[in-house]
Amino acid sequence: MEIGSFLIVFFMVRYIRTSLQTAERFPEWDRMLLMVQYVATGLLVSDIFLDSDFTKWVWHLLLIGMVGAAYLLKDFRPVRNVWLAVGPFILISLFGDLVELIVPDFYESIKTMVEIAEMFSFIWMVATWFITRKQQKALEKERLKRQQEEEQNRIIASQNVMLEQIVAERTAELTRQKEELEQTLTELKATQDQLIQREKMASLGELTAGIAHEIQNPLNFVNNFSEVSVELIEELKEERQKTDRDAGLEEEILADLAQNLQKINHHGKRADSIVKGMLQHSRASTHEREPIDINNLADEYLRLAYHGLRANDKSFNATLLTDFDSNLGKVSVVPQDMGRVLLNLFTNAFYATEEKRKTGLANYQPTVQVITRRIDGETIELRVRDNGCGIPASVLNKIYQPFFTTKPTGQGTGLGLSLSYDIITKGHGGELVVETEEGKFTEFTIRLPT
């Protein structure tokens, strides 16, 4: 009995201290539990050396006190169920000792049964402890698992906060970069508009000499016919002052005056159309389409470009060939934009032929040809072909890129073909294609829907 009680007290105290972690959580209870172990050890020694019946009642009081403490003190409630395993052993041993004390004879008759009951209660206690210990380990494992999950959740929450902060900082950075890019884009657009306007002014400068040459012819006619008309009027006045007036001569003079005025009107309109064309070319495009005669537009800009180049270089000369389809009809286009396209193509063609001429090639005659055709009921085609130096194959895929030019620095902005391509494809829904062979020819083809 004493050894069993000692083992029960010893292992129960150890179990309580370990399970409840009394050394950290309940230092005062931990000292009392250690004292209980010392008392139990002392009682065991007393039983061995003194062999007194008094100690067994102390064991009963000690076990009952520990069970009572487990049920009455809230700090020990987590280990309360473990004492259920000890209960049967305490009750049976207490019952046997009381019967032995009060009715010794009866105890002798049931002693074997009491000992068997104590043995089974001890086995029950040990089995219950093992099961409880196993459950405790499972619960501890589950607790540790929950603790790990909580720790992981805490770490994840901390990481989420950090990520949200990083995302917020990155978003602010991207917003700042976006604003900077938008500002840069706005500045680039403004710069592009300025460069486009400069390109227009540059092409207008190229036209100026040609326009001066073209406008001089009708002005000469106007001046000449005006002078002749003044002389005819003076002659008519003299004839009317005569007493024998010649009616036939007067009619003839009046007819000449009428004819002169018609020619003055014709050449005045010609000069007016040239000036209007110059103004249209210089001002910003309205993007409003008008039905115009492509043949007349191409012929006019071809001569303006040619005479403009000759005004800058008297040695320049080229053969101009035109093959216009008389059944072309009028096409709805933006006149200013289409004029810029034609001027760019003609200027580039003349430049290519002049560069080839400067190589000193024998029997070379610079030639620029303009052809218009109606391909079908919905498309017209305008070709500008020159027998100049051609375009190298290595740069052919770059010719429509903004600011790309094969001309020497200061002789080209690199926007002419880029603007022409955008005007034809985006502005008019057409095509601008090129066919070339280096050293032989270049031919640009414009296809427009009618």
Side-chain angles (χ1 to χ4, degrees):
M1 162 64 187
E2 288 76 9
I3 294 177
S5 298
F6 172 76
L7 293 174
I8 292 172
V9 172
F10 184 83
F11 285 107
M12 284 302 299
V13 169
R14 184 178 178 183
Y15 174 78
I16 292 172
R17 292 180 67 202
T18 304
S19 298
L20 298 181
Q21 298 178 354
T22 56
E24 294 83 11
R25 299 175 60 194
F26 311 109
E28 294 182 358
W29 289 118
D30 188 69
R31 288 193 293 270
M32 293 183 66
L33 289 171
L34 284 173
M35 190 177 294
V36 169
Q37 282 185 328
Y38 296 147
V39 170
T41 304
L43 286 175
L44 180 64
V45 173
S46 298
D47 284 336
I48 295 174
F49 291 101
L50 299 177
D51 192 18
S52 173
D53 290 338
F54 175 74
T55 57
K56 66 181 179 181
W57 299 106
V58 177
W59 283 114
H60 286 310
L61 290 174
L62 184 61
L63 290 172
I64 292 173
M66 292 185 67
V67 174
Y71 276 88
L72 294 176
L73 299 174
K74 64 178 183 178
D75 294 337
F76 293 106
R77 286 178 183 175
V79 295
R80 181 184 298 174
N81 293 335
V82 178
W83 289 101
L84 293 175
V86 185
F89 179 82
I90 295 174
L91 292 175
I92 292 172
S93 63
L94 180 61
F95 172 77
D97 290 339
L98 288 173
V99 171
E100 183 182 7
L101 178 65
I102 299 172
V103 189
D105 296 336
F106 178 70
Y107 176 75
E108 290 297 328
S109 63
I110 63 171
K111 181 178 180 180
T112 303
M113 295 178 59
V114 171
E115 290 176 349
I116 293 173
E118 286 182 351
M119 183 182 65
F120 276 109
S121 65
F122 190 81
I123 294 172
W124 158 260
M125 178 185 64
V126 173
T128 304
W129 278 1
F130 275 113
I131 294 173
T132 303
R133 185 64 177 172
K134 187 176 181 180
Q135 291 177 346
Q136 189 69 22
K137 288 182 178 180
L139 290 174
E140 181 67 15
K141 186 177 180 181
E142 184 67 23
R143 186 185 68 80
L144 291 175
K145 183 179 179 181
R146 286 199 304 270
Q147 187 176 357
Q148 291 176 353
E149 290 178 352
E150 290 175 358
E151 182 67 16
Q152 289 179 352
N153 291 335
R154 186 187 65 78
I155 293 174
I156 291 173
S158 177
Q159 290 177 345
N160 286 338
V161 172
M162 186 180 300
L163 287 174
E164 289 176 358
Q165 183 178 359
I166 293 173
V167 169
E169 293 175 355
R170 185 58 178 164
T171 302
E173 178 66 17
L174 290 175
T175 302
R176 184 184 63 80
Q177 292 178 356
K178 175 177 173 291
E179 292 174 353
E180 291 179 354
L181 289 174
E182 288 178 347
Q183 178 65 24
T184 303
L185 180 61
T186 301
E187 293 175 357
L188 286 175
K189 286 182 177 179
T191 303
Q192 184 183 31
D193 292 341
Q194 292 175 1
L195 289 173
I196 290 173
Q197 189 61 29
R198 288 180 183 177
E199 173 67 18
K200 293 176 182 178
M201 292 299 101
S203 63
L204 180 61
E206 294 174 357
L207 276 179
T208 303
I211 290 173
H213 180 274
E214 284 294 305
I215 206 171
Q216 188 62 47
N217 289 332
L219 287 177
N220 287 336
F221 280 111
V222 169
N223 292 333
N224 292 335
F225 284 118
S226 297
E227 292 175 0
V228 172
S229 297
V230 170
E231 294 176 356
L232 290 174
I233 290 174
E234 292 297 329
E235 186 179 347
L236 180 60
K237 287 180 179 179
E238 293 176 358
E239 186 64 28
R240 285 186 173 181
Q241 291 175 358
K242 295 179 181 180
T243 55
D244 52 344
R245 295 168 53 184
D246 188 345
L249 179 60
E250 290 180 358
E251 291 296 329
E252 184 179 347
I253 293 173
L254 290 174
D256 290 339
L257 281 173
Q259 186 177 4
N260 289 348
L261 290 175
Q262 288 177 356
K263 291 181 179 180
I264 289 173
N265 182 59
H266 170 74
H267 291 289
K269 288 181 178 179
R270 171 61 183 155
D272 180 64
S273 68
I274 294 172
V275 173
K276 286 182 178 178
M278 179 182 65
L279 294 175
Q280 283 184 340
H281 186 84
S282 62
R283 67 169 177 256
S285 172
T286 61
H287 300 289
E288 294 181 0
R289 298 194 182 194
E290 301 175 15
I292 64 171
D293 189 329
I294 291 292
N295 292 338
N296 290 340
L297 189 69
D299 184 62
E300 181 176 343
Y301 274 91
L302 177 65
R303 286 184 286 104
L304 289 175
Y306 176 67
H307 290 300
L309 290 175
R310 277 187 54 81
N312 294 327
D313 183 4
K314 298 297 183 181
S315 65
F316 174 74
N317 193 12
T319 300
L320 307 182
L321 300 178
T322 58
D323 185 5
F324 295 143
D325 187 349
S326 58
N327 297 321
L328 198 63
K330 292 189 176 182
V331 181
S332 180
V333 296
V334 181
Q336 304 97 307
D337 291 346
M338 190 57 60
R340 293 187 184 107
V341 172
L342 293 174
L343 183 64
N344 282 323
L345 296 182
F346 295 149
T347 303
N348 288 343
F350 289 132
Y351 178 83
T353 58
E354 178 63 9
E355 289 298 303
K356 187 173 181 179
R357 183 186 68 83
K358 289 179 181 179
T359 62
L361 187 65
N363 300 322
Y364 173 69
Q365 175 59 42
T367 303
V368 175
Q369 185 178 18
V370 183
I371 303 171
T372 60
R373 289 287 183 272
R374 178 177 288 274
I375 299 177
D376 51 41
E378 298 181 353
T379 307
I380 66 163
E381 188 175 82
L382 186 147
R383 296 175 180 267
V384 179
R385 183 184 181 96
D386 66 75
N387 62 345
C389 53
I391 302 175
S394 58
V395 300
L396 191 59
N397 60 339
K398 301 178 183 179
I399 60 174
Y400 297 130
Q401 294 180 5
F403 309 112
F404 176 80
T405 179
T406 58
K407 296 178 182 179
T409 303
Q411 294 191 23
T413 62
L415 288 173
L417 284 178
S418 174
L419 289 174
S420 299
Y421 185 82
D422 288 344
I423 290 172
I424 296 299
T425 58
K426 298 178 182 179
H428 292 80
E431 290 182 284
L432 178 61
V433 296
V434 61
E435 182 180 355
T436 184
E437 185 175 347
E438 190 172 359
K440 293 186 177 181
F441 77 95
T442 298
E443 181 175 86
F444 280 93
T445 302
I446 298 173
R447 296 189 182 95
L448 295 174
T450 57

